[in-house]
Amino acid sequence: MSRYAIRLAVFVVFSVLLAATPAIRQAYAAGDPPASDPPPSSKKKKKGHTSYLEEPAFVRGYRLAYTTIYDRNDYASAIGLLKALGHDDNAAVANLIGYSYRKLGNYQLSQVWYERALKSDPNHVKTWQYYGLWQVEQGNRDQALYHLNRIASICGTGCEEYRSLAAALDKPPGTGLVY
């Protein structure tokens, strides 16, 4: 089975699980915006065992961390929430930890987590985007272009991640903008 088919199957399973969860249905009914879906995984499950990605506690924890980052901009708390999940070897989790450290201005730790995410999944496009923005902020435009090319090879030039990094690279160097 191809990687794409596996990821699609994981996404479908998550969608079904999320639709069946009463707490999430109540949140939608109350008009709360949905948080990001939990990260997909390409790891194979052992027969008869469920993946941690299907565990309700992991899904809730990931969603809470995601909301803490993108809705409340509370990066320090999000790092604690993500690490508490116990699965920071997952590319999506490691990427969000790296993003949070970057937003806190800790570029060294941010780099460590971005590289950990890419080690876990070399095709994790969101990590290539965020790490590329990290490169732009550091003034490493050649490296950011490398990241942009990696994104293009993964999802093409029309995906949001490509457009975001390309827009950051279009701005003049040294503008001091943080992404």
Side-chain angles (χ1 to χ4, degrees):
M1 190 181 285
S2 73
R3 243 184 167 172
Y4 175 75
I6 292 170
R7 288 182 178 179
L8 182 60
V10 169
F11 177 75
V12 169
V13 168
F14 279 133
S15 298
V16 170
L17 286 172
L18 292 175
T21 304
I24 292 177
R25 278 188 273 156
Q26 289 173 353
Y28 286 133
D32 294 338
S36 171
D37 286 334
S41 174
S42 60
K43 295 181 181 177
K44 294 179 182 178
K45 294 188 287 186
K46 293 181 181 178
K47 201 170 192 174
H49 296 300
T50 60
S51 167
Y52 68 87
L53 296 172
E54 296 173 1
E55 295 174 3
F58 178 83
V59 173
R60 282 191 305 273
Y62 184 85
R63 286 180 173 272
L64 177 60
Y66 185 94
T67 301
T68 301
I69 291 169
Y70 294 110
D71 292 349
R72 295 191 300 241
N73 300 322
D74 185 357
Y75 308 111
S77 294
I79 291 168
L81 292 169
L82 289 162
K83 287 182 177 181
L85 292 173
H87 295 286
D88 53 14
D89 57 338
N90 176 283
V93 172
N95 179 55
L96 286 182
I97 293 171
Y99 175 82
S100 296
Y101 276 122
R102 179 167 64 92
K103 289 299 195 174
L104 291 171
N106 191 333
Y107 288 98
Q108 285 182 322
L109 276 177
S110 180
Q111 181 179 24
V112 167
W113 285 98
Y114 286 145
E115 290 176 3
R116 180 183 242 182
L118 291 173
K119 183 178 179 185
S120 174
D121 181 358
N123 291 320
H124 194 259
V125 70
K126 198 60 144 175
T127 302
W128 284 109
Q129 175 199 8
Y130 283 179
Y131 199 7
L133 293 171
W134 181 96
Q135 298 288 356
V136 170
E137 289 176 13
Q138 297 297 299
N140 304 328
R141 296 182 70 78
D142 289 340
Q143 280 297 312
L145 282 170
Y146 172 78
H147 290 243
L148 186 67
N149 289 329
R150 285 289 294 149
I151 293 169
S153 71
I154 297 167
C155 66
T157 59
C159 65
E160 184 272 327
E161 293 84 359
Y162 182 92
R163 290 191 314 265
S164 169
L165 183 53
L169 281 164
D170 281 344
K171 295 182 176 150
T175 58
L177 296 175
V178 178
Y179 308 93

